[in-house]
Amino acid sequence: MAAKTDFTPDEWKLLLQSPLVAGIAVSAGDPSGLIGMMKESMASARALLTAASDPNADALVKAAASDFETSEGRGLAQDGVKAAIAGASKPAEIVARALDSLKAVAALLDAKGGTDAVPFKIWLASVAKSVAEAAPEGGFLGFGGTQVSAAEKATVAEIAAALGVPAPAV
């Protein structure tokens, strides 16, 4: 079982930023309007809160999610996200950089995550799924459209592939 102490500060930062990076990748994969973007960011936040309070959550997932309850943890994650997507100006560039970051997370988990590696990766894919399902795409003023666009489904599948886990059904 892996713990925060098994990772260097930079490695822990990479793990902390990963749920936010997964959410940003989905949002950039098919950008929504302001309301949709807010719903999608709230889905990432909800996933973190749920994991932190879920007694059945994997220990490493719970440790990372619990770190978000501190301003230091949130600050580290935000700094990591900014660094991961720095210089990207187009949605496709954001998705590409996010996927690179998630591949680095997968490699780190494979190297040091032990039995927590797969559950953490699956959790990240589920965060991406939650973000994709958070707001309907298309339509007008929230009416019509589809719950999950083809572009969002594709991005969730790319995230799962980057992590080396099966894509969740969306």
Side-chain angles (χ1 to χ4, degrees):
M1 185 164 70
K4 180 178 179 178
T5 55
D6 295 327
F7 300 93
T8 68
D10 285 341
E11 291 169 340
W12 187 249
K13 181 179 182 178
L14 184 63
L15 291 178
L16 278 183
Q17 76 193 37
S18 63
L20 300 179
V21 167
I24 286 170
V26 173
S27 293
D30 190 5
S32 301
L34 180 62
I35 302 290
M37 189 171 46
M38 290 173 58
K39 287 181 179 181
E40 290 172 347
S41 22
M42 290 305 296
S44 289
R46 228 180 350 269
L48 288 163
L49 290 172
T50 301
S53 61
D54 181 359
N56 298 316
D58 173 74
L60 187 58
V61 168
K62 195 173 186 88
S66 294
D67 238 16
F68 274 89
E69 294 174 355
T70 68
S71 60
E72 179 184 357
R74 286 188 303 275
L76 276 175
Q78 290 168 352
D79 290 346
V81 169
K82 288 176 191 172
I85 62 171
S89 59
K90 297 178 183 174
E93 293 172 351
I94 294 171
V95 172
R97 291 186 187 196
L99 291 172
D100 288 344
S101 177
L102 292 171
K103 287 175 186 173
V105 168
L108 173 61
L109 287 167
D110 289 343
K112 289 189 165 183
T115 58
D116 294 308
V118 171
F120 198 97
K121 292 177 193 180
I122 290 170
W123 174 65
L124 290 175
S126 75
V127 170
K129 175 187 178 196
S130 296
V131 171
E133 294 173 340
E137 301 301 322
F140 180 70
L141 296 175
F143 297 101
T146 58
Q147 188 60 39
V148 180
S149 72
E152 287 175 320
K153 287 179 185 178
T155 304
V156 170
E158 287 178 293
I159 289 168
L163 295 167
V165 296
V170 285

